[in-house]
Amino acid sequence: DTGVSQDPRHKITKRGQNVTFRCDPISEHNRLYWYRQTLGQGPEFLTYFQNEAQLEKSRLLSDRFSAERPKGSFSTLEIQRTEQGDSAMYLCASSLVDFGDRANTEAFFGQGTRLTVV
Amino acid sequence: KQEVTQIPAALSVPEGENLVLNCSFTDSAIYNLQWFRQDPGKGLTSLLLIQSSQREQTSGRLNASLDKSSGRSTLYIAASQPGDSATYLCAVRQFRGGSEKLVFGKGTKLTVNP
């Protein structure tokens, strides 16, 4: 499978616990995005990386959230001290950005990680 | 701030009907627009990408148009089938203020009845 891979697919955790999600982008894609989606809503932007550099973070990304992309390959999203309001689908996407042809940049999404905080 | 709106929120049609889904956006400073399909509990599947300089793109029974100046895009589905039932999302890749994030609408939930 050469698509975007996310692990785990489902996570149930107790309130106050820490959780970590992993995203493996399409090989050689230089840009990686994290989004959050709640029921009936469109995906909301959380953060994105260009290679290993985190270029933008949403105000949704509180100090309990942290994302990394060491070595510009896979990425992790950690949520500390989870709250019930964190229950959502967490989506990862990757793109190959050609800086001379940005209009042709297509985003490919993984299957998501469904987080339930009880 | 870029805002993307999709109308209608839900649509139910009989099999075989042609249909149009609408997407509008408030800021024309975009690189491109993408249409996605999302099945329940699943991730997003890219259907079509239209670059900001293009007017339309076609893939099989799908045709997407873009009018950047008016901030509108449509997704036309011909001869709809029950397998087309899903939520359809549009997203714009903006370039305002150095940000290149994708901004999504809330989607149109399509049901095609056999």
Side-chain angles (χ1 to χ4, degrees), chain B residues 29-99:
Chain B
I30 64 169
Y31 283 117
N32 60 41
L33 183 146
Q34 248 180 293
W35 282 94
F36 294 89
R37 169 187 172 134
Q38 186 174 34
D39 293 294
K42 304 292 186 182
L44 280 62
T45 300
S46 180
L47 297 173
L48 287 164
L49 178 144
I50 312 179
Q51 299 181 32
S52 59
S53 61
Q54 296 176 330
R55 297 287 291 184
E56 66 178 66
Q57 281 288 330
T58 298
S59 175
R61 293 183 294 108
L62 305 179
N63 176 278
S65 69
L66 174 64
D67 183 342
K68 194 178 76 165
S69 61
S70 68
R72 296 177 189 273
S73 177
T74 61
L75 179 67
Y76 175 83
I77 303 177
S80 57
Q81 303 170 358
D84 295 330
S85 298
T87 296
Y88 291 81
L89 294 152
C90 74
V92 295
R93 180 181 297 275
Q94 66 180 33
F95 59 79
R96 182 72 67 187
S99 170

Side-chain angles (χ1 to χ4, degrees), chain A residues 3-8 21-26 29 31-37 43-44 46-49 67-69 73-77 89-95 107-114, chain B residues 36 38 42-45 102 104:
Chain A
V4 178
S5 178
Q6 292 189 243
D7 183 70
F21 310 140
R22 178 180 169 120
C23 172
D24 286 273
I26 293 172
H29 275 196
R31 184 157 293 173
L32 187 148
Y33 299 83
W34 284 101
Y35 282 79
R36 182 173 71 184
Q37 186 180 29
E44 296 175 294
L46 292 178
T47 188
Y48 81 82
F49 294 83
E68 294 182 339
R69 192 184 182 196
S73 55
F74 71 92
S75 176
T76 57
L77 178 68
M89 173 79 89
Y90 290 82
L91 295 162
C92 175
S94 72
S95 299
F108 297 90
F109 280 77
Q111 290 298 300
T113 294
R114 167 74 65 188
Chain B
F36 294 89
Q38 186 174 34
K42 304 292 186 182
L44 280 62
T45 300
L102 285 168
F104 282 84

